[in-house]
Every structure is written in structure tokens, then in C-alpha cells.
Amino acid sequence: MKKELLIFVVIIIVLTIIFHYKELLEYPIQHIKNFPNSGAYGLGIFHPLIFGAFVYIILLIPRAIFKLFKRK
């Protein structure tokens, strides 16, 4: 459980760095302050969790298949 939570948090951090690198380099404090007012695709403040869950599921499928074949 802890390993999966760590993987999920790392995915969110990596996605944040990939998509918001310019904001994080130029004005990080202002970007963090504006987080509650974010309106990403109408998802608001929950957009990192939703996009992170989407990527987590996409990565979970190959991991599960690999684990399934590894057992046999």
C-alpha cells in the first residue's frame, strides 16, 4: 500500500514538473498561491489528482500484466 501511494505521489510530482516547469521556475510562490483558483478543464483544484490517477491507471495495466507473466 505504501509503495503504491509513493508511486502515485511521484507521478503527481513528475507531472507537475513536466507541465508547469515554466511557472515553477519563474514565479513558484505565486503559482502555488493560485492553486485553489485553478480551472484546468473545469476540474479545479482536483485536477492533479484526476490526471495523476489517469496516468497511474495507464501505468498500472502494464505493471499488472508483467506481474501476471512473472508468476507463471
Side-chain angles (χ1 to χ4, degrees), residues 8 35 57 69:
F8 185 70
F35 183 64
I57 290 169
F69 285 126

Side-chain angles (χ1 to χ4, degrees), residues 33-47:
K33 282 182 170 179
N34 287 335
F35 183 64
N37 302 323
S38 65
Y41 305 105
L43 300 174
I45 195 168
F46 297 109
H47 76 274

Side-chain angles (χ1 to χ4, degrees), residues 3-21 24 31 35 44-57 59:
K3 179 183 173 187
E4 298 300 318
L5 182 62
L6 179 65
I7 291 171
F8 185 70
V9 170
V10 168
I11 288 171
I12 290 177
I13 291 171
V14 168
L15 288 174
T16 300
I17 292 170
I18 289 171
F19 287 107
H20 298 287
Y21 68 91
L24 293 173
H31 187 68
F35 183 64
I45 195 168
F46 297 109
H47 76 274
L49 296 175
I50 294 170
F51 294 146
F54 182 70
V55 172
Y56 178 78
I57 290 169
L59 294 176

